[in-house]
């Protein structure tokens, strides 16, 4: 266990997620970087010399999310910061899109946010403090032609963040939805 503050980044892919892992580690935090395929993040983890650790996690699976939080807490300490950055997107017109594609994008983009946010809140509420961040995009505010598979989950994730902020703020937990394009 570490005496440093712990962050968990779910959806720590090679783009924004990896940048967040590097940023938090650079700020002196220990970081659990969670993604479906941790091998993708090996160069980032190695470069951080023990400040971060990669974990496999399917954000759409409640048991996998619970396992991530248990493992990260045992290895690094309970998180004071959790970021949900996972997402899926299939650019297609509404007439060409399938229900399966929309459901998969929604499960990763919105249901996963619920599962991660709920698990984070369960840890943070007894402590009376913590921060939960959800990353969004312009699609969180308005849909565009060919972007329903992104807009639907991002709208839902923003609503989740707003609801959680109103419920958990009085318990010392800061919840925010941040638009990053």
């Amino acid at each position: 266990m570490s005496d440093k503050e712990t962050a968990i980044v779910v959806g720590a892919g090679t783009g924004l997620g990896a940048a967040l892992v590097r940023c938090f580690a650079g700020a002196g935090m220990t970081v659990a970087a969670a993604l479906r395929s941790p091998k993708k993040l090996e160069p980032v983890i190695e470069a951080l010399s023990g400040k971060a650790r990669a974990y496999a996690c399917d954000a759409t699976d409640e048991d996998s999310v619970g396992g991530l939080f248990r493992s990260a807490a045992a290895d690094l300490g309970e998180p004071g910061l959790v970021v949900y950055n996972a997402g899926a997107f299939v650019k297609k017109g509404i007439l060409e899109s399938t229900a399966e594609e929309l459901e998969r994008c929604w499960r990763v983009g919105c249901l996963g946010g619920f599962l991660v946010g709920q698990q984070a809140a369960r840890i943070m509420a007894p402590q009376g403090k913590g921060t939960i961040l959800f990353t969004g995009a312009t699609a969180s505010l308005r849909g565009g032609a060919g972007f329903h598979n992104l807009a639907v989950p991002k709208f839902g994730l923003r609503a989740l963040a707003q609801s959680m902020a109103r419920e958990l703020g009085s318990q010392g937990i800061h919840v925010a939805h941040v638009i990053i394009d």
Side-chain angles (χ1 to χ4, degrees):
M1 281 237 238
S2 172
D3 57 353
K4 296 179 180 180
E5 187 173 5
T6 299
I8 296 178
V9 178
V10 178
T14 57
L16 175 60
L20 292 170
V21 169
R22 285 191 295 271
C23 177
F24 299 147
M29 301 178 86
T30 55
V31 185
L35 62 168
R36 284 177 300 191
S37 302
K39 267 192 149 338
K40 291 180 183 178
L41 210 57
E42 279 180 3
V44 173
I45 299 300
E46 289 174 14
L48 293 173
S49 306
K51 295 178 183 176
R53 185 167 174 177
Y55 294 85
C57 180
D58 176 353
T60 67
D61 180 88
E62 191 169 10
D63 291 335
S64 183
V65 171
L68 162 67
F69 276 81
R70 284 188 301 278
S71 294
D75 296 342
L76 308 173
E78 290 188 338
L81 170 63
V82 173
V83 178
Y84 188 75
N85 182 58
F89 171 59
V90 178
K91 185 176 181 186
K92 280 190 177 177
I94 197 77
L95 298 176
E96 293 81 32
S97 190
T98 67
E100 292 81 17
E101 289 165 339
L102 177 66
E103 183 178 5
R104 183 179 67 79
C105 292
W106 172 82
R107 289 182 67 76
V108 174
C110 191
L111 176 64
F114 165 76
L115 295 173
V116 169
Q118 182 183 54
Q119 189 64 45
R122 285 179 174 155
I123 289 170
M124 294 173 181
Q127 299 173 20
K129 64 180 181 175
T131 300
I132 304 168
L133 302 175
F134 298 97
T135 61
T138 298
S140 305
L141 303 172
R142 63 178 178 268
F147 286 85
H148 62 279
N149 283 325
L150 182 61
V152 168
K154 290 297 185 184
F155 265 68
L157 190 63
R158 185 175 62 122
L160 173 68
Q162 290 173 352
S163 294
M164 287 180 66
R166 287 178 176 86
E167 182 176 339
L168 300 172
S170 63
Q171 297 177 49
I173 302 169
H174 179 75
V175 181
H177 176 267
V178 183
I179 296 177
I180 304 173
D181 282 326

